[in-house]
Amino acid sequence: MAASGSEHATVIPGGFTVLSLKFREEDAAAHQLCVKEHRIRSEKNINRPQDRTLFILNIPPYCTQSVVTDMFQQFGPIESVELCEKPGESKSSSRNLSKHFRPPEKYCFRVGYVVFKKASSVTAVKCHPQSSPLIVSTKERPVKTGIHKWIEQYSQSVIPGQTLQTAVDDFMNEFDRQKKEEEVEEKEQEEEEEEEEGWVKVKKGIRGIKVRPHSQTANEKTLQKEKAKSERKELVNFYSWQHRNTQKEHLAELRKKFEEDKQKIALLRVQRKFKPY
Amino acid sequence: MKKMRKKSVLPEAQDYKMESPDPSQIEEQDEKSVKVTKGPKRQAESTVSDNGVLQPLKMSKQELYKAPTVEEFNQLKEAENLFHCNLLKMQMDELLKEVALSEHRKNLLDFFVQQITHLLHTVPKSEVVELEDLSWLSGVEVPIRFIPKVAKGKFHMEPPESINLVGSYPLGTCIKPQVSVDLAVTIPATILHPMDAINQKYPQKRALYLAGLVQHLMSTKTVGSLRYSCLHGNRLRPLLLIKPRGKDSSSVTLRVHAVPPPNFLKPSRFHPQKNNVRTEWFTGVADKQQAELSEPPTPHYNSTILGDHLPLSHFQFLSANSTQCPAFRDVVALLKVWLRQRGLDQGAGCFCGFHASMLLAYLLSTHKVGKSMNAYQLFRNVLHFLASTDLTKNGITLAKNADTKAPSIPEFHMAFSVVFVDPSGHLNLCADMTTFTYKQIQHEALLSIKIWDDPTVDCFQALFMTTKAMIRTYDNVFYLSELVKLQASCKKLSLLNELMDHSGNYVLAAFPFILSLLQQGLGERIHLLAHSLPPDPEWSVDSAPPKHKNQPPLCVGLLLNLQHALCSLERGPPADSPKATEFRQMWGSRSELRRFQDGAITEAVLWSGSSVCQKRLILREIIAHLLQLHADIPGSCVRFVGQLDSLITVDKEDSTTGEEESLKVIQAYEDLSRKLWQLEGLPLSITSVQGAHQVIRCTQVFPPVPVKLDYSFFVGEKNPVGLMPKADKPCPYYITPIKVIVHMEGSGKWPSDHLAIHHIKAAFHVCLGELLNKHHKYRYHAKPTYLDVWKDGLAFRIHVAYHREPQILREALTPEGMLIYRDNPEAQSLELETQHKPYLTSTLHGLQQQHGCFGAVSRLSKRWLASQFLLEDIQEEPADLLVASLFLHSAPFDPPSSPQVGFLRFLYVLSTFDWRNNPLVVNLNQKLTAADYAELKNDFVVSRESLPAMFIATPNDKTVSVWTKEAPSVQMLQHAVMLAAKSLQVVQAQLVDSSLKQDIRVVFRPSLEAFDVLIHLVPKQVPLLAKAVDPPLVTFQQGVFKGSATTERALPIIDYDPVRLYLSELREAFGDLALFFYDPFGGTVIAVLWKPKAFESQSFKTTLMNARRVEVYNDVVSTVPNVEAILQDFHLIGEGLVKTVELRTEKWVI
């Protein structure tokens, strides 16, 4: 283990500071969190400002968003906390689903991005010594695990039908509205195009090239049809060379089967499969 | 701190402790073998790789299209025309090569035979003594028991008249592994007297002569060991077994037969209707009046004496035949292998290689087969003849020009049950064979022909390579032990004449009568009654022959006819008909007069038993009753094999094994389905309601039972939605949700966006629930993904499905604007749930209707898988398919009709199937044709590398094996195969040998030796605790009563299993570091195995930091798992559920 003073923070090569994390004050073993300021050259995510964001590795599964917020509050006010399974990715919740429809979260170790309000908080975290661990569950805000957690989970999963119905209705209204908007937009666009002196532009396909169907299955079907057509035109066993060829093919087929069988036998012999008892 | 893995040392295999090999070792081994396959590509020619995987065959064009030679052309033509499967011919050739004797061994044998012959010729002549005087023998016992000791006569030793090789060795039909060479030693005529045939005097002299030979041989040093045996279990025909010295001693035996000079006695004296053993002599009681008039015929004794006269002439006859027919030797060798695999070639009343040769000679002489036929054709014809000819009714004879004194076929039939007369016309070759053995041979031949005709079966494996052990072949098997009791049955059945005929062998005398008694009593309950052949005893030359009562137990096997086998009523004739007395006599006090609903008053026997499980015991009851009543055999002598039912017992009080419960659930499901169809007011109509749960195909290990709720046990009685568990109480009763898929009709109203479809489905769930509640007052709970309905004490989980949804999930647009379909896991899993699962469920339900015990076999098998922690790898559906294959492709057996035999075959198939080179094809509903099979196998070979380790193909799923795509891995499959092999061995040993007083449950107790950490759970929180393999004495109140209430106040807790939640959290958190194993049926321990790879020190990466800690050494950062914290997390995550975490640190250290 790297030399770590009781007062100094443990910094490992690579720039990460090692913090320790305990579930309860009295626990013997501790997890190690590795933290660093978030710095990526081509970061486009506006939710993770470079100077104020802390990047945390190895957050145990029982640390939810709120727990992480509580733990890091001691270093300064927090703007947002984001937890994800792998570094880099950000949640793609393009549509805001109601909580019943969200896919369940995986109960695994995660990485976190904590955005502080001030940049100084990040440095404060980085100077935190390893010897004083962060505590997940305290008396003031206990964190439930095990049986208690599962009972709570079960209770929360039981929802009355009306609640579900309203959630569905909300979503569908929104969905229908979007659809309608899209339709209107499309129409407008068409109209726009049409308005140019009343001419309609004919799309799809350039002259000389056959128009292919628009879906894969239809495409396959037409291809098959074409093939069948060309096959029908061909004469089978008409010329003597064709006849000879089919015989040759037949012989080759037999030979191949024979060889295959021989191969199987060889394999079985290797495996000693011919000892009856 | 460092984690080190010591080499795990497994304790020696102690008696029958279950041994599971260390899975991690397997893993390591396998990684190696995987590497081998990924190695450099091999040349096209040597396509068989070292690790035994078939590679697709590549042949160059030149090779394929070159001009054929005449020889090759003929070979190919023959392969095409003669054999429906060329492979079989080649396999047979290989088999013959395998069993044939090598030249080296032949030379050794010839030398040895010469030596012995020479030795025997030098037997010194001895003085004439009285027959009773045995003083000239020292250290050698006579290999025969003198029953009545009074026998007068003279005896002396003299060198044999001649010594000849006979039997299979000179014929060239001798096969490995038990090579025995028959040597016929002719007793000089001076020793014998023409009247010796009467009253066993000749057999005694013969035995004495053998003893004399032994005494002479013992004085020399060339022989290895000398033992006595007897020919086909006939105690009057002792043999001398000589083994050479040295390393060949185990595999080579010289059998010395002592025979009289040819034509010493007139064959006509041994007509089956003549008597050669006098009652007075045998019983020792003078009964003058009876004696002269009607001495009973002694056909078996006669054929014994006669048989001794004929070995030389039989041998000449056979060698003449074998020189005529070139394939003679090969066919007999094949037949011997075939017979041996079926256990028919040894013991009293066997059908051995000699009989097979004689049969072939018969077929040749009657021109039923041609001389120039090849082995394949001849073998098939022999089987066909056996299958179609009933020698118990129409005997056959090899005698050409009938001797006028020879008995006729009907005369033979009167004396013997199976008739096959030898070339002399006097001897019945099948004298000792019982009707039942012949029926068994017929059955086997018929089955083999059927297998042969089926192009989809690997017939070579089924015909020659599979050993049909009694216990795996027959549905019910029982053993008759304490054979001394058969003496009493001889008395009871008044079999004095038979006893005399068999010269006091009460086992052989009584056994056929007992068997026909059972056949009569069991009637149409069984298809076939088969029995093991009493084995040939072997004993040392210095001890007396073993007594009859010391024989190993006799084994009887039954093939059940499930239509009638479980009938609890045996209806007899009307009370006033003459047959009624017969019926009463048959059943004794159990027969009662009964009046039936149709008004008839008949004799009847009613056996007890209401559930299927109890009814399975009816056969035992019948057998025990009949044996006690008619043969004086007490129940303690009859040992029935099988105690496995208790493992899947659902209700101990009613002693049911789930058949009734499953049926009840299916009825409830059908009722629900009807009600769903009748619902009105749905925006779209229902197009199908399909069950997609195992219980609906009767294969749920413990089917759900209707329950009533104890409201005081739960929280939230007032809650309109449902009850909640209480933290301080034990875990509530686990209510299994029964999955039902409801398809809604397609319509333009369905959106084409998958999220929207998801929401619409949720709306349907709410809507269906409300309607069901309105019309039928069912409690319900709608969720986005399903709808739970509480009906008659059972929970149904309804999933609404839309048939186009998987397709919509697959849709994608190319840049050119073309709609293409990309397969993705989401769509696949949806398809699996909504299409494959319901289809499989209904198909297997159909199978259950055809084969009554499919469900029970499947449940027992899955119970085993679960108990060995395998059910999560070989999941429910593949396990069901595997069991289904036992019924659909049972060759070379019949489809199982009892849970036990099905389970044994399940273990057998799992452990012996070549998963690496073959797909397991389950031809559900017979939809696949031979062409499909070929195509399927070719595809399999071509893309083996990318296919799952366990490949199960069905008619609907020929290329993917949807059920085994994720699991098992190669390692786990290998682990499962090994466990199955070991378990099979243990179970069979237990079932066969009653002296092993161990519990059959040992194979259901997993070995925990190999694991690194054991997490012990609080039993109170394990919902299925009562279903454990070893259920605890104290069970906990779980908030339910038996029986179903009509109206419930609230919805119960459905599908809440803390152990499963704990496991899934563990796997999500630590899946990269360890494997977790658990028995879902009441296990109280979770076994953890570290993954060795994860414990190697890795360099620091942001993507590889989970649950690890850093170590800095020389400015290089590496990470290792933070084991202490992980172990603490095991506790934390399962707080309230975990009792202790036991570290098995003998294999690793922190």
Side-chain angles (χ1 to χ4, degrees):
Chain A
M1 191 131 304
S4 56
S6 55
E7 292 300 312
H8 298 287
T10 320
V11 182
I12 56 167
F16 280 94
T17 308
V18 179
L19 304 180
S20 62
L21 174 138
K22 282 184 180 177
F23 186 76
R24 272 177 300 245
E25 188 92 52
E26 63 273 19
D27 283 344
H31 277 291
Q32 289 186 346
L33 299 187
C34 293
V35 300
K36 193 184 178 182
E37 71 276 15
H38 179 61
R39 190 155 296 164
I40 292 174
R41 247 166 271 146
S42 56
E43 176 63 274
K44 284 172 194 140
N45 196 336
I46 44 157
N47 294 330
R48 295 173 191 167
Q50 300 264 355
D51 48 343
R52 289 184 287 131
T53 308
L54 186 74
F55 175 50
I56 313 169
L57 283 175
N58 195 22
I59 302 174
Y62 35 78
C63 297
T64 55
Q65 209 157 339
S66 66
V67 171
V68 174
T69 315
D70 283 342
M71 278 194 306
F72 284 90
Q73 211 114 47
Q74 52 172 309
F75 303 108
I78 289 172
E79 200 174 280
S80 70
V81 171
E82 194 185 337
L83 299 178
C84 27
E85 284 174 34
K86 277 181 201 138
E89 65 178 25
S90 61
K91 271 179 201 163
S92 56
S93 49
S94 51
R95 279 186 242 183
N96 27 358
L97 296 171
S98 81
K99 66 171 184 181
H100 312 299
F101 284 91
R102 264 179 244 148
E105 273 186 16
K106 235 181 130 187
Y107 195 78
C108 61
F109 283 82
R110 283 173 289 191
V111 297
Y113 295 92
V114 176
V115 183
F116 288 100
K117 283 196 174 132
K118 282 180 242 150
S120 61
S121 314
V122 176
T123 16
V125 177
K126 284 176 72 182
C127 296
H128 191 74
Q130 200 188 357
S131 50
S132 58
L134 303 171
I135 306 298
V136 176
S137 172
T138 54
K139 265 180 198 147
E140 296 86 58
R141 40 172 188 83
V143 174
K144 281 183 184 173
T145 59
I147 295 282
H148 291 272
K149 187 192 146 206
W150 296 320
I151 288 178
E152 193 182 76
Q153 235 176 22
Y154 183 83
S155 322
Q156 276 168 5
S157 76
V158 177
I159 41 165
Q162 294 93 323
T163 329
L164 187 64
Q165 187 65 53
T166 42
V168 170
D169 289 345
D170 288 349
F171 177 85
M172 285 319 287
N173 287 339
E174 174 74 9
F175 181 74
D176 286 345
R177 200 174 52 75
Q178 269 182 12
K179 219 59 238 242
K180 213 165 258 171
E181 265 173 27
E182 270 170 30
E183 258 170 43
V184 168
E185 230 167 72
E186 220 166 83
K187 221 172 211 175
E188 271 173 12
Q189 224 173 5
E190 264 174 36
E191 274 166 15
E192 244 170 56
E193 279 171 6
E194 210 170 309
E195 267 164 23
E196 288 172 12
E197 298 183 15
W199 292 96
V200 181
K201 210 187 261 171
V202 179
K203 284 186 282 186
K204 262 190 192 173
I206 315 156
R207 233 196 303 170
I209 293 173
K210 233 185 185 176
V211 181
R212 292 245 75 107
H214 68 285
S215 87
Q216 196 186 11
T217 38
N219 193 7
E220 272 165 12
K221 239 179 238 168
T222 43
L223 278 177
Q224 254 171 13
K225 238 181 235 166
E226 277 166 24
K227 207 177 160 196
K229 224 182 199 173
S230 63
E231 263 174 18
R232 227 175 345 199
K233 283 179 193 160
E234 211 173 274
L235 291 167
V236 184
N237 281 355
F238 182 73
Y239 299 108
S240 57
W241 61 267
Q242 277 180 324
H243 196 70
R244 214 161 42 231
N245 265 9
T246 28
Q247 277 183 330
K248 247 176 162 177
E249 283 297 330
H250 181 65
L251 193 66
E253 182 107 327
L254 281 181
R255 225 177 231 164
K256 189 155 184 228
K257 178 138 195 322
F258 193 69
E259 289 302 321
E260 266 173 8
D261 288 347
K262 254 187 11 208
Q263 182 204 355
K264 275 184 204 159
I265 296 287
L267 175 71
L268 292 174
R269 199 183 304 136
V270 167
Q271 293 174 336
R272 314 193 113 256
K273 281 282 173 64
F274 290 109
K275 271 210 180 319
Y277 10 78
Chain B
M1 289 182 289
K2 259 220 151 145
K3 179 180 185 294
M4 292 187 301
R5 179 166 283 273
K6 284 187 215 153
K7 219 177 177 187
S8 66
V9 184
L10 286 178
E12 292 298 305
Q14 300 153 347
D15 38 66
Y16 279 111
K17 193 163 170 37
M18 274 305 301
E19 212 75 281
S20 83
D22 187 351
S24 66
Q25 279 190 342
I26 305 166
E27 216 162 298
E28 280 160 329
Q29 280 167 14
D30 251 58
E31 268 155 30
K32 268 180 220 151
S33 67
V34 167
K35 265 177 212 155
V36 173
T37 41
K38 281 177 184 167
K41 297 254 164 160
R42 239 157 260 100
Q43 300 285 312
E45 285 82 33
S46 63
T47 40
V48 178
S49 58
D50 320 322
N51 56 354
V53 180
L54 272 182
Q55 307 278 328
L57 187 84
K58 284 175 210 144
M59 287 175 77
S60 68
K61 269 230 163 112
Q62 215 186 346
E63 242 180 289
L64 272 177
Y65 293 103
K66 70 179 177 206
T69 60
V70 178
E71 200 176 304
E72 190 194 2
F73 194 75
N74 283 341
Q75 196 181 20
L76 289 176
K77 269 282 168 220
E78 190 184 40
E80 191 193 14
N81 297 335
L82 277 180
F83 310 103
H84 84 135
C85 160
N86 180 32
L87 196 59
L88 181 64
K89 181 204 164 199
M90 289 170 138
Q91 282 169 321
M92 280 181 171
D93 289 347
E94 282 299 320
L95 175 70
L96 287 171
K97 267 186 230 163
E98 184 67 43
V99 295
L101 296 184
S102 63
E103 280 304 314
H104 172 69
R105 193 178 287 191
K106 274 187 192 165
N107 291 340
L108 276 178
L109 262 173
D110 287 338
F111 178 68
F112 185 54
V113 169
Q114 254 176 17
Q115 267 188 323
I116 296 293
T117 315
H118 179 72
L119 268 175
L120 291 178
H121 272 302
T122 58
V123 173
K125 207 171 168 178
S126 73
E127 280 178 28
V128 177
V129 292
E130 282 296 314
L131 204 51
E132 279 169 79
D133 179 15
L134 298 179
S135 55
W136 57 280
L137 286 170
S138 60
V140 178
E141 284 284 332
V142 183
I144 197 165
R145 295 177 65 79
F146 304 101
I147 299 174
K149 284 233 169 182
V150 248
K152 277 180 190 145
K154 305 268 192 242
F155 183 79
H156 69 276
M157 277 309 286
E158 211 172 297
E161 211 170 88
S162 66
I163 297 174
N164 301 78
L165 269 179
V166 292
S168 60
Y169 181 68
L171 273 179
T173 59
C174 188
I175 60 166
K176 283 194 280 191
Q178 279 189 338
V179 182
S180 56
V181 179
D182 296 279
L183 210 58
V185 176
T186 312
I187 307 170
T190 47
I191 297 176
L192 303 173
H193 186 269
M195 281 310 281
D196 280 352
I198 292 170
N199 291 353
Q200 298 187 12
K201 211 181 282 173
Y202 160 70
Q204 281 178 30
K205 284 194 174 170
R206 188 177 177 278
L208 278 170
Y209 192 76
L210 271 183
L213 294 183
V214 170
Q215 195 171 27
H216 176 63
L217 288 176
M218 270 167 66
S219 59
T220 60
K221 291 209 170 100
T222 30
V223 295
S225 74
L226 289 164
R227 287 174 78 75
Y228 287 129
S229 178
C230 53
L231 189 65
H232 302 329
N234 190 339
R235 293 304 183 85
L236 290 186
R237 300 177 80 177
L239 296 174
L240 174 59
L241 305 182
I242 309 177
K243 290 196 170 182
R245 257 175 211 288
K247 62 179 168 78
D248 290 325
S249 60
S250 56
S251 56
V252 177
T253 322
L254 205 61
R255 303 202 294 179
V256 178
H257 306 248
V259 299
N263 307 322
F264 183 73
L265 297 168
K266 264 190 218 146
S268 55
R269 283 179 55 182
F270 304 102
H271 190 284
Q273 248 108 58
K274 290 206 170 149
N275 170 284
N276 279 310
V277 181
R278 307 285 183 254
T279 321
E280 187 191 333
W281 172 81
F282 188 75
T283 53
V285 182
D287 192 358
K288 276 275 159 61
Q289 292 158 349
Q290 194 218 350
E292 299 301 320
L293 289 170
S294 57
E295 282 285 0
T298 53
H300 288 98
Y301 175 78
N302 295 355
S303 62
T304 301
I305 308 288
L306 199 56
D308 260 0
H309 280 71
L310 296 165
L312 290 172
S313 66
H314 283 162
F315 172 67
Q316 279 153 9
F317 174 75
L318 284 178
S319 55
N321 268 297
S322 80
T323 44
Q324 273 179 10
C325 172
F328 189 89
R329 289 165 195 183
D330 290 350
V331 187
V332 175
L334 288 176
L335 275 168
K336 276 170 115 171
V337 173
W338 185 81
L339 286 165
R340 195 185 150 114
Q341 295 290 27
R342 282 149 184 80
L344 292 164
D345 69 331
Q346 267 176 341
C350 63
F351 192 89
C352 64
F354 170 65
H355 296 105
S357 320
M358 279 295 189
L359 184 65
L360 191 59
Y362 170 77
L363 293 182
L364 282 167
S365 68
T366 51
H367 303 292
K368 287 196 159 85
V369 293
K371 280 168 194 156
S372 55
M373 280 184 175
N374 57 25
Y376 176 99
Q377 293 164 315
L378 285 173
F379 183 65
R380 205 185 143 93
N381 273 304
V382 172
L383 287 191
H384 187 77
F385 179 79
L386 281 173
S388 58
T389 318
D390 191 355
L391 294 187
T392 59
K393 294 213 175 70
N394 310 307
I396 53 172
T397 175
L398 273 164
K400 280 271 165 63
N401 14 358
D403 189 347
T404 42
K405 282 178 185 166
S408 64
I409 297 277
E411 278 172 323
F412 274 118
H413 271 298
M414 275 163 68
F416 304 105
S417 41
V418 184
V419 176
F420 179 17
V421 183
D422 82 325
S424 75
H426 289 278
L427 176 69
N428 180 13
L429 296 172
C430 296
D432 290 336
M433 193 181 287
T434 60
T435 321
F436 304 97
T437 307
Y438 189 72
K439 291 275 180 220
Q440 189 190 348
I441 295 173
Q442 259 197 314
H443 180 80
E444 292 293 351
L446 201 64
L447 203 61
S448 294
I449 291 278
K450 222 163 83 189
I451 295 166
W452 208 321
D453 287 339
D454 188 350
T456 59
V457 184
D458 177 9
C459 42
F460 177 72
Q461 202 67 29
L463 287 177
F464 298 111
M465 303 306 281
T466 316
T467 310
K468 289 187 80 172
M470 266 294 206
I471 198 158
R472 274 206 310 278
T473 311
Y474 297 101
D475 298 321
N476 274 12
V477 172
F478 68 89
Y479 284 91
L480 273 181
S481 43
E482 293 183 59
L483 293 177
V484 69
K485 293 284 193 320
L486 287 180
Q487 244 171 338
S489 21
C490 279
K491 217 170 272 170
K492 178 93 179 179
L493 292 159
S494 53
L495 296 174
L496 177 66
N497 295 349
E498 279 73 15
L499 206 58
M500 216 158 80
D501 189 15
H502 283 102
S503 57
N505 190 340
Y506 49 83
V507 177
L508 287 186
F511 200 42
F513 286 88
I514 290 171
L515 289 172
S516 39
L517 177 74
L518 291 179
Q519 172 80 56
Q520 211 183 333
L522 294 172
E524 59 184 358
R525 286 174 195 268
I526 54 170
H527 284 307
L528 185 74
L529 177 103
H531 60 90
S532 69
L533 304 170
D536 301 338
E538 243 188 74
W539 65 97
S540 64
V541 289
D542 52 1
S543 62
K547 292 180 176 160
H548 297 308
K549 66 177 179 189
N550 292 340
Q551 280 187 46
L554 290 169
C555 176
V556 178
L558 307 172
L559 278 187
L560 304 188
N561 174 4
L562 269 193
Q563 274 183 341
H564 302 284
L566 305 185
C567 219
S568 57
L569 181 78
E570 187 88 46
R571 202 167 150 174
D576 46 0
S577 89
K579 281 185 182 166
T581 5
E582 216 174 286
F583 187 83
R584 264 199 301 276
Q585 219 161 35
M586 182 79 196
W587 297 105
S589 58
R590 291 301 293 254
S591 172
E592 295 162 340
L593 267 186
R594 280 183 177 266
R595 187 197 180 101
F596 289 91
Q597 272 181 345
D598 57 1
I601 301 173
T602 69
E603 291 285 341
V605 184
L606 188 68
W607 305 98
S608 58
S610 53
S611 70
V612 175
C613 172
Q614 287 165 333
K615 281 182 183 171
R616 279 196 210 111
L617 303 177
I618 287 179
L619 282 169
R620 300 182 171 197
E621 220 177 324
I622 293 176
I623 292 165
H625 174 71
L626 287 177
L627 290 182
Q628 174 75 58
L629 184 69
H630 294 287
D632 256 351
I633 298 174
S636 60
C637 297
V638 189
R639 189 172 64 83
F640 292 94
V641 163
Q643 323 137 297
L644 293 171
D645 278 357
S646 64
L647 280 155
I648 48 167
T649 301
V650 177
D651 191 330
K652 281 208 185 91
E653 289 155 36
D654 297 347
S655 82
T656 55
T657 48
E659 284 86 357
E660 288 75 18
E661 284 82 0
S662 297
L663 212 62
K664 242 180 227 169
V665 173
I666 291 171
Q667 277 163 3
Y669 153 74
E670 274 163 2
D671 185 46
L672 178 74
S673 146
R674 215 171 14 256
K675 281 174 177 158
L676 280 170
W677 279 104
Q678 284 163 356
L679 284 184
E680 276 171 20
L682 279 166
L684 290 175
S685 59
I686 293 172
T687 55
S688 78
V689 178
Q690 294 165 304
H693 194 264
Q694 308 149 39
V695 70
I696 292 172
R697 52 183 190 252
C698 300
T699 63
Q700 167 89 338
V701 179
F702 297 109
V705 183
V707 285
K708 262 190 295 199
L709 302 174
D710 173 11
Y711 289 97
S712 62
F713 192 79
F714 304 97
V715 187
E717 197 190 326
K718 300 273 157 54
N719 188 332
V721 194
L723 303 171
M724 303 296 155
K726 265 184 190 169
D728 52 340
K729 288 266 169 90
C731 177
Y733 182 81
Y734 181 74
I735 292 173
T736 320
I738 300 156
K739 203 162 156 188
V740 178
I741 306 284
V742 175
H743 272 275
M744 290 300 185
E745 81 183 314
S747 147
K749 285 175 194 160
W750 283 96
S752 53
D753 174 275
H754 72 97
L755 266 176
I757 291 176
H758 199 53
H759 282 80
I760 297 285
K761 287 202 303 194
F764 268 121
H765 290 143
V766 178
C767 177
L768 277 174
E770 269 170 6
L771 283 173
L772 281 172
N773 183 262
K774 204 170 103 191
H775 294 300
H776 305 292
K777 300 269 177 288
Y778 295 151
R779 292 272 164 192
Y780 75 98
H781 173 216
K783 295 261 291 185
T785 45
Y786 57 81
L787 163 74
D788 278 344
V789 176
W790 182 240
K791 175 182 184 298
D792 310 333
L794 294 167
F796 289 93
R797 180 160 285 185
I798 296 172
H799 295 254
V800 167
Y802 170 45
H803 70 277
R804 265 183 52 75
E805 197 184 349
Q807 209 61 349
I808 287 170
L809 277 171
R810 285 196 182 114
E811 274 176 5
L813 278 177
T814 56
E816 292 91 50
M818 183 156 65
L819 195 63
I820 53 160
Y821 297 103
R822 285 273 153 77
D823 212 2
N824 54 11
E826 270 179 17
Q828 280 174 356
S829 70
L830 188 73
E831 216 166 44
L832 200 69
E833 291 295 320
T834 59
Q835 289 170 17
H836 289 294
K837 219 175 236 181
Y839 178 76
L840 183 74
T841 304
S842 70
T843 321
L844 291 183
H845 181 82
L847 192 68
Q848 163 74 25
Q849 305 300 322
Q850 278 172 42
H851 300 281
C853 76
F854 166 71
V857 174
S858 172
R859 277 182 285 124
L860 199 55
S861 308
K862 285 199 279 195
R863 183 77 195 83
W864 177 81
L865 284 174
S867 70
Q868 295 291 352
F869 306 142
L870 293 168
L871 197 57
E872 270 146 348
D873 286 286
I874 300 173
Q875 283 162 359
E876 314 265 1
E877 284 81 16
D880 281 348
L881 281 173
L882 202 59
V883 173
S885 80
L886 302 178
F887 288 84
L888 294 169
H889 314 290
S890 56
F893 303 102
D894 293 270
S897 293
S898 77
Q900 174 193 308
V901 74
F903 174 61
L904 291 178
R905 286 198 213 152
F906 168 80
L907 290 181
Y908 182 74
V909 167
L910 182 60
S911 61
T912 58
F913 193 81
D914 183 6
W915 294 105
R916 207 184 267 183
N917 288 313
N918 286 312
L920 179 74
V921 187
V922 186
N923 196 355
L924 295 167
N925 292 340
Q926 307 296 322
K927 269 192 188 163
L928 292 174
T929 59
D932 288 333
Y933 264 72
E935 191 192 331
L936 210 150
K937 283 191 177 155
N938 281 341
D939 289 349
F940 177 81
V941 170
V942 169
S943 49
R944 179 67 192 109
E945 299 283 295
S946 58
L947 293 172
M950 185 185 209
F951 190 89
I952 302 181
T954 59
N956 271 21
D957 166 28
K958 288 185 223 169
T959 48
V960 188
S961 183
V962 284
W963 303 110
T964 55
K965 237 168 40 180
E966 308 294 330
S969 60
V970 179
Q971 294 88 322
M972 280 315 289
L973 182 63
Q974 202 170 352
H975 180 60
V977 165
M978 281 159 91
L979 278 176
K982 190 81 195 164
S983 298
L984 181 65
Q985 196 190 336
V986 172
V987 180
Q988 282 191 351
Q990 298 264 326
L991 292 178
V992 171
D993 194 348
S994 59
S995 62
L996 299 170
K997 283 279 180 252
Q998 250 167 330
D999 194 357
I1000 206 78
R1001 286 169 190 255
V1002 276
V1003 295
F1004 288 84
R1005 293 188 193 113
S1007 156
L1008 299 174
E1009 301 284 340
F1011 296 102
D1012 295 324
V1013 179
L1014 300 180
I1015 304 175
H1016 294 278
L1017 306 176
V1018 177
K1020 243 179 18 170
Q1021 294 293 351
V1022 178
L1024 287 174
L1025 188 68
K1027 302 278 188 262
V1029 173
D1030 299 298
L1033 297 172
V1034 192
T1035 46
F1036 300 95
Q1037 158 67 3
Q1038 292 191 305
V1040 288
F1041 308 116
K1042 231 177 111 180
S1044 61
T1046 43
T1047 51
E1048 290 283 5
R1049 281 178 288 174
L1051 195 74
I1053 297 166
I1054 297 168
D1055 199 19
Y1056 169 72
D1057 181 353
V1059 186
R1060 227 183 42 218
L1061 292 166
Y1062 179 50
L1063 266 176
S1064 81
E1065 289 188 356
L1066 281 178
R1067 285 193 181 126
E1068 277 173 8
F1070 306 110
D1072 307 335
L1073 298 171
L1075 295 167
F1076 298 90
F1077 297 94
Y1078 178 66
D1079 174 5
F1081 302 112
T1084 51
V1085 64
I1086 295 175
V1088 187
L1089 191 72
W1090 300 126
K1091 287 186 178 174
K1093 248 198 172 161
F1095 274 80
E1096 286 161 16
S1097 180
Q1098 303 270 344
S1099 59
F1100 181 84
K1101 275 186 218 148
T1102 52
T1103 47
L1104 194 82
M1105 187 53 210
N1106 291 350
R1108 298 173 87 91
R1109 59 189 168 73
V1110 289
E1111 279 176 351
V1112 183
Y1113 183 72
N1114 282 350
D1115 277 1
V1116 178
V1117 193
S1118 56
T1119 61
V1120 290
N1122 193 351
V1123 178
E1124 283 172 330
I1126 292 169
L1127 292 174
Q1128 190 175 293
D1129 280 354
F1130 286 173
H1131 265 293
L1132 275 177
I1133 294 174
E1135 206 176 301
L1137 177 66
V1138 175
K1139 195 160 75 181
T1140 50
V1141 175
E1142 182 189 340
L1143 305 180
R1144 301 297 202 80
T1145 39
E1146 62 265 32
K1147 277 193 243 149
W1148 55 277
V1149 283
I1150 295 171

